């Protein structure tokens, strides 16, 4: 098999996995917006604290879905170890996700009316999904499949 054909197959596989990764993230994504609204508007939490809780909930929803539908779990690592590595990998990106979100909601407020209220912070929540998705995918793949799975 030619090197070009091998690379094409690898890119196709990664593309399929990325699509599945984004698709299995939809349940957590669908929960995240209303949950953030509840924390901010009904519970009165600061937007940064509310978003941190939302991120933690999302990661815990995404782990079993990624194991089941996206990646081939390593047979060499326990479920517990996969979970811890997944959490550590995602936490790294989620920290920067949280920092970016917090900076934006604190420094870059603007008016965007959603269901009758200014909910500009939801725009930044969506923006973060777009900005951080591919990097999270690559690190989650590595955490669940194993260290030598970057290329396959």
């Amino acid at each position: 098999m030619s090197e070009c054909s091998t690379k094409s197959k690898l890119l196709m596989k990664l593309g399929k996995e990325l699509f599945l990764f984004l698709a299995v993230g939809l349940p957590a994504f669908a929960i995240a917006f209303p949950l953030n609204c509840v924390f901010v508007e009904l519970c009165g939490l600061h937007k940064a604290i509310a978003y941190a809780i939302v991120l933690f909930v999302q990661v815990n929803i995404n782990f079993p879905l990624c194991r089941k539908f996206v990646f081939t779990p390593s047979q060499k690592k326990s479920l517990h170890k996969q979970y811890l590595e997944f959490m550590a990998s995602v936490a790294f990106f989620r920290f920067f996700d949280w920092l970016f979100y917090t900076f934006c909601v604190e420094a870059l407020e603007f008016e965007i009316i959603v269901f009758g209220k200014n909910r500009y912070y939801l725009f930044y929540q969506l923006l973060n999904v777009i900005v951080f998705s591919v990097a999270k995918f690559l690190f989650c793949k590595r955490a669940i499949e194993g260290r030598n799975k970057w290329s396959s």
Side-chain angles (χ1 to χ4, degrees), residues 124-141:
Y124 291 121
Q125 188 173 348
L126 177 61
L127 181 63
N128 280 9
V129 169
I130 295 165
V131 169
F132 291 96
S133 290
V134 173
K136 282 187 303 191
F137 161 74
L138 293 171
F139 276 82
C140 291
K141 176 178 177 58

Side-chain angles (χ1 to χ4, degrees), residues 1-10:
M1 187 178 305
S2 75
E3 184 178 335
C4 186
S5 176
T6 302
K7 286 182 179 181
S8 293
K9 286 183 180 184
L10 174 61

Side-chain angles (χ1 to χ4, degrees), residues 16-145:
K16 179 182 174 188
E17 287 177 341
L18 177 60
F19 174 79
L20 289 171
F21 179 78
L22 295 173
V24 301
L26 287 176
F29 179 74
I31 291 168
F33 276 88
L35 192 59
N36 204 9
C37 284
V38 166
F39 288 152
V40 170
E41 295 174 20
L42 297 180
C43 298
L45 292 178
H46 188 278
K47 290 174 185 75
I49 294 169
Y51 191 59
I53 296 168
V54 167
L55 291 176
F56 182 76
V57 170
Q58 283 185 288
V59 171
N60 281 282
I61 292 170
N62 287 339
F63 174 71
L65 294 174
C66 283
R67 276 190 93 251
K68 176 81 174 159
F69 299 110
V70 181
F71 305 120
T72 304
S74 170
Q75 300 301 312
K76 297 177 183 177
K77 287 194 275 186
S78 70
L79 176 63
H80 183 254
K81 183 170 172 91
Q82 289 174 37
Y83 174 76
L84 292 177
E85 286 186 19
F86 182 87
M87 291 298 281
S89 295
V90 173
F92 175 78
F93 289 99
R94 290 297 194 177
F95 174 72
F96 290 104
D97 177 338
W98 179 83
L99 278 179
F100 180 66
Y101 172 86
T102 301
F103 169 76
C104 290
V105 299
E106 294 297 323
L108 304 173
E109 184 174 348
F110 65 97
E111 188 166 326
I112 182 169
I113 305 303
V114 179
F115 299 116
K117 289 189 175 185
N118 185 14
R119 294 190 171 114
Y120 70 96
Y121 61 96
L122 296 179
F123 168 79
Y124 291 121
Q125 188 173 348
L126 177 61
L127 181 63
N128 280 9
V129 169
I130 295 165
V131 169
F132 291 96
S133 290
V134 173
K136 282 187 303 191
F137 161 74
L138 293 171
F139 276 82
C140 291
K141 176 178 177 58
R142 186 174 182 187
I144 292 173
E145 291 186 349

